[in-house]
Amino acid sequence: MIKNLGSPTEETIASGIRDARAVELFDALSDQCRLRMVDHLAESNGPVALADLAQIVAAMETGTPVEGQSEDSYRTTYLNLYHNHVPKLVHADVVDYDENRKTIELVDSAELSTLLQFVVVERGPNEASKCSP
């Protein structure tokens, strides 16, 4: 007899990940902006320039093409990624950031891969989840 397990919960996902590590990953990915960053990095093959990532995230937030982003929108997003979100993801060992090249890359982690299978990323505009303050 097959039992219906329903949708995954934080508890069922975390059961396959060390408890402290699970809390750290959930905390790092609890922000929609960081989820957008990680979502794009997961689809990329290798490092991505932080400047390019800021343009992509700003486009996701506003629902407009990368080419249609204002300089102000891009700059605000870039600064917020650089000062707030990248350090949080680096500290949680979700991404590697190369300060010299200004590139960011997703860490190859089975725990992170498992968690990302169950994450839903909002791609359209949403004032409550903007990367900019």
Side-chain angles (χ1 to χ4, degrees):
M1 178 169 163
I2 298 175
K3 187 176 179 183
N4 182 0
L5 299 178
S7 298
T9 63
E10 287 184 15
E11 183 178 324
T12 60
I13 295 169
S15 66
I17 304 172
R18 296 184 324 269
D19 289 341
R21 178 68 176 145
V23 169
E24 184 178 43
L25 287 173
F26 279 117
D27 182 50
L29 299 174
S30 65
D31 182 89
Q32 191 65 33
C33 179
R34 289 191 292 272
L35 277 176
R36 288 178 171 140
M37 294 170 63
V38 169
D39 182 58
H40 180 74
L41 292 171
E43 294 175 2
S44 301
N45 292 327
V48 174
L50 184 58
D52 294 341
L53 186 59
Q55 287 181 323
I56 291 162
V57 170
M60 286 179 172
E61 288 182 345
T62 61
T64 59
V66 171
E67 302 80 28
Q69 294 304 307
S70 71
E71 182 67 25
D72 188 50
S73 172
Y74 157 74
R75 186 177 338 188
T76 302
T77 300
Y78 180 92
L79 290 172
N80 203 23
L81 294 184
Y82 182 79
H83 289 290
N84 299 318
H85 298 293
V86 170
K88 179 109 179 168
L89 292 173
V90 167
H91 179 73
D93 199 29
V94 172
V95 301
D96 286 324
Y97 180 67
D98 185 328
E99 182 68 42
N100 294 326
R101 294 185 175 158
K102 304 282 190 251
T103 58
I104 186 169
E105 184 173 19
L106 202 59
V107 170
D108 185 18
S109 161
E111 296 165 332
L112 181 59
S113 296
T114 299
L115 183 59
L116 291 177
Q117 291 176 26
F118 302 103
V119 173
V120 176
V121 178
E122 293 180 26
R123 294 183 182 267
N126 181 345
E127 287 297 318
S129 66
K130 289 202 170 214
C131 289
S132 51

